Amino acid sequence: MTFAGTSLTRHLVRGVIGFGSLIAAFALLLAVGPASLLLLPVTLLAFRGCPTCWVIGLIETISRGKLQRDCVDGQCKLTTTA
C-alpha cells in the first residue's frame, strides 16, 4: 500500500489546509466557542484520515522514482536510481 500522491504541490497544499484548519480550530475556540471545532472535519478530509499517513505520503511522494527496493533470495536492499 502506498500513501504517495501524484503531485508534491498538491500534497503540500493538503498539508497546509489540514494543519491550518487544525490550528484554527483550537486557536478560535475561546473566541468562537465550540463552533470552531467544526473545522476538525476539514482537517480529516485534508489528511485523508490521519496526519501520520499524510507525513508518510509526503516522504513517499518526495522519494518516488528516486529509491528502488530490490529483493533477492529473501534479502532486500534499498538503492537509489540516478
Side-chain angles (χ1 to χ4, degrees):
M1 182 157 108
T2 181
F3 295 101
T6 56
S7 164
L8 180 60
T9 304
R10 189 173 172 192
H11 201 87
L12 291 174
V13 167
R14 282 187 25 236
V16 168
I17 292 170
F19 284 115
S21 62
L22 179 66
I23 292 168
F26 290 104
L28 295 173
L29 193 57
L30 292 176
V32 181
S36 69
L37 298 179
L38 294 173
L39 289 171
L40 292 178
V42 174
T43 302
L44 290 175
L45 286 173
F47 287 143
R48 293 187 183 158
C50 90
T52 304
C53 299
W54 178 87
V55 172
I56 292 170
L58 176 63
I59 293 167
E60 287 182 356
T61 302
I62 291 171
S63 69
R64 180 175 285 230
K66 296 180 184 176
L67 298 174
Q68 182 177 357
R69 182 181 312 188
D70 295 320
C71 297
V72 177
D73 295 328
Q75 288 194 340
C76 296
K77 293 193 308 186
L78 195 61
T79 57
T80 58
T81 57

